[in-house]
């Protein structure tokens, strides 16, 4: 298999209007490729995307050197009789990446909270926007009513890790780094045109996760679509995420900018195969194509793949 894992480290310079989610990042990298090389080249890269052959798979953005805590029931962790311990444990949602080869108990015990992982915990704020009626020179009702949108502030220069699985036959590490740099310059996500989502690329290098002894499941690093892929339901765990997709770039201004909603398993899912476990860089499936996701652009696809690390699920007590 030509797919290989890489880690990109970003430095954030402005607030984020849109969370750094893997499927959103993939979509914006597709737009960046289209702007750089043309629509025909993007279509070539997307050949086979819905048939298990992605050209690129992107993870969510994580605090540097950390991964999202696996989504597992409490009985897999050490017992906690004190309610205050259980409350604190819910906030410990980051695992040091260096612990990926640890047994499950040690892995879960290494979890830390936002303040530890980021250094300075991100701050959520609400920004009020106004749309002026040019006839009256003021706001009003309906489309002219003031509205509020959320923004996430990080410390200046906050380091964020993104893991990308590349098909080396269709995209190189150097080209991917260029696409990320271009995206960071233009801005990621909502309100990039007014300065949000700016970042620089600090480094881009091959990566690998240590596999624990007895690994038997995959631990996902982005939202993915596990439906119908033969995972063992009683031994798999995830949080359901409903993605109400919306087109970006030029299609955001089209008459039908919204995509068909899809159900995904949020990052941190633990997926156990029904048959043999093998180490692999990603799981999931590509969604869409042939008008299944968008009326504005029939070829639209949705990343339902996720980069993964291996995990050793122990028998529940």
């Amino acid at each position: 298999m030509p797919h290989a894992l890489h880690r990109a480290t970003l430095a954030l310079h402005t607030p984020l209007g849109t969370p750094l989610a893997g499927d959103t990042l993939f979509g914006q990298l597709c737009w960046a490729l289209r702007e750089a090389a043309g629509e025909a080249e993007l279509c070539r890269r997307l050949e086979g995307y819905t048939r298990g052959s992605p050209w690129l798979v992107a993870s969510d953005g994580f605090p540097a050197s950390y991964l999202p805590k696996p989504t597992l029931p409490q009985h897999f962790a050490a017992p906690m009789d004190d309610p205050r311990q259980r409350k604190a444990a819910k906030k410990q949602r980051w695992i040091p990446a260096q612990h990926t080869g640890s047994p499950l108990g040690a892995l879960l015990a290494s979890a830390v909270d936002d303040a530890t992982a980021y250094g300075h915990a991100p701050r959520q704020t609400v920004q009020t926007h106004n749309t002026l009626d040019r006839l009256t020179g003021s706001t009003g009702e309906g489309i002219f009513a003031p509205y509020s949108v959320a923004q996430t502030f990080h410390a200046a220069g906050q380091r964020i890790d993104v893991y990308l699985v590349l098909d080396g036959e269709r995209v190189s590490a150097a080209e991917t780094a260029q696409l990320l740099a271009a995206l960071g310059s233009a801005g990621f996500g909502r309100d990039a045109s007014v300065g949000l989502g700016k970042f620089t690329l600090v480094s881009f290098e091959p990566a690998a996760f240590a596999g624990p002894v007895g690994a038997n499941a995959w631990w996902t690093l982005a939202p993915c679509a596990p439906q119908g892929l033969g995972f063992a339901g009683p031994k798999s765990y995830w949080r359901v995420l409903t993605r109400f997709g919306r087109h970006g770039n030029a299609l955001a201004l089209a008459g039908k900018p919204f995509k068909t909603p899809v159900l995904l398993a949020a990052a941190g899912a633990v997926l156990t195969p029904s048959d043999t476990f093998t180490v692999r860089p990603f799981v999931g499936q590509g969604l869409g194509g042939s008008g299944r996701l968008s009326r504005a652009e029939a070829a639209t696809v949705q990343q339902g793949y996720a980069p993964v690390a291996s995990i050793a699920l122990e028998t529940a007590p």
Side-chain angles (χ1 to χ4, degrees):
M1 180 182 292
H3 292 89
L5 183 68
H6 292 72
R7 180 180 61 249
T9 298
L10 316 177
L12 302 182
H13 299 299
T14 63
L16 294 173
T18 300
L20 263 170
D23 51 335
T24 307
L25 180 59
F26 169 77
Q28 294 216 230
L29 287 172
C30 284
W31 276 109
L33 175 63
R34 183 179 182 274
E35 295 292 331
E39 185 172 354
E41 180 60 20
L42 173 60
C43 291
R44 187 185 73 82
R45 304 287 180 97
L46 289 174
E47 289 177 3
Y49 187 81
T50 59
R51 300 190 299 276
S53 181
W55 68 282
L56 179 148
V57 179
S59 80
D60 289 359
F62 312 124
S65 301
Y66 287 89
L67 300 176
K69 185 178 180 180
T71 302
L72 289 170
Q74 181 58 45
H75 60 242
F76 281 100
M80 295 182 187
D81 297 326
D82 189 339
R84 289 173 296 182
Q85 286 183 306
R86 293 195 292 270
K87 184 176 181 180
K90 291 181 179 179
K91 297 181 180 179
Q92 295 169 343
R93 58 196 192 102
W94 303 109
I95 299 290
Q98 66 192 47
H99 289 184
T100 52
S102 302
L104 184 61
L107 182 78
L108 297 177
S110 70
V112 300
D113 60 13
D114 281 0
T116 301
Y118 285 101
H120 298 278
R123 181 167 54 91
Q124 300 285 337
T125 66
V126 174
Q127 177 71 44
T128 300
H129 286 245
N130 293 319
T131 301
L132 295 179
D133 184 340
R134 299 304 178 187
L135 296 179
T136 64
S138 64
T139 60
E141 299 179 352
I143 63 173
F144 298 111
Y147 61 96
S148 298
V149 293
Q151 294 182 4
T152 303
F153 284 78
H154 292 81
Q158 176 71 60
R159 297 302 196 262
I160 297 291
D161 283 346
V162 174
Y163 292 89
L164 301 113
V165 179
L166 309 181
D167 180 346
E169 296 180 353
R170 284 186 283 178
V171 63
S172 67
E175 182 184 16
T176 307
Q178 291 173 355
L179 293 175
L180 279 170
L183 178 56
S185 178
F188 170 84
R190 176 179 51 77
D191 287 343
S193 61
V194 293
L196 270 61
K198 308 291 189 190
F199 62 82
T200 52
L201 180 63
V202 177
S203 63
F204 192 92
E205 56 192 7
F209 296 121
V213 175
N216 56 10
W218 295 293
W219 165 18
T220 68
L221 306 182
C224 72
Q227 303 94 319
L229 297 181
F231 295 113
K235 299 179 181 178
S236 298
Y237 307 92
W238 64 84
R239 292 182 295 105
V240 175
L241 172 67
T242 304
R243 182 68 81 210
F244 296 94
R246 179 171 180 161
H247 284 295
N249 204 290
L251 287 178
L253 304 177
K256 298 177 180 178
F258 296 100
K259 304 176 188 176
T260 302
V262 296
L263 289 178
L264 302 171
V270 175
L271 304 174
T272 303
S274 298
D275 48 17
T276 305
F277 172 83
T278 57
V279 176
R280 55 185 307 175
F282 68 91
V283 298
Q285 58 191 307
L287 305 175
S290 302
R292 287 185 287 268
L293 277 182
S294 169
R295 295 183 180 181
E297 175 53 70
T300 297
V301 295
Q302 160 83 32
Q303 178 178 282
Y305 299 104
V308 292
S310 301
I311 193 170
L313 270 191
E314 302 162 358
T315 303

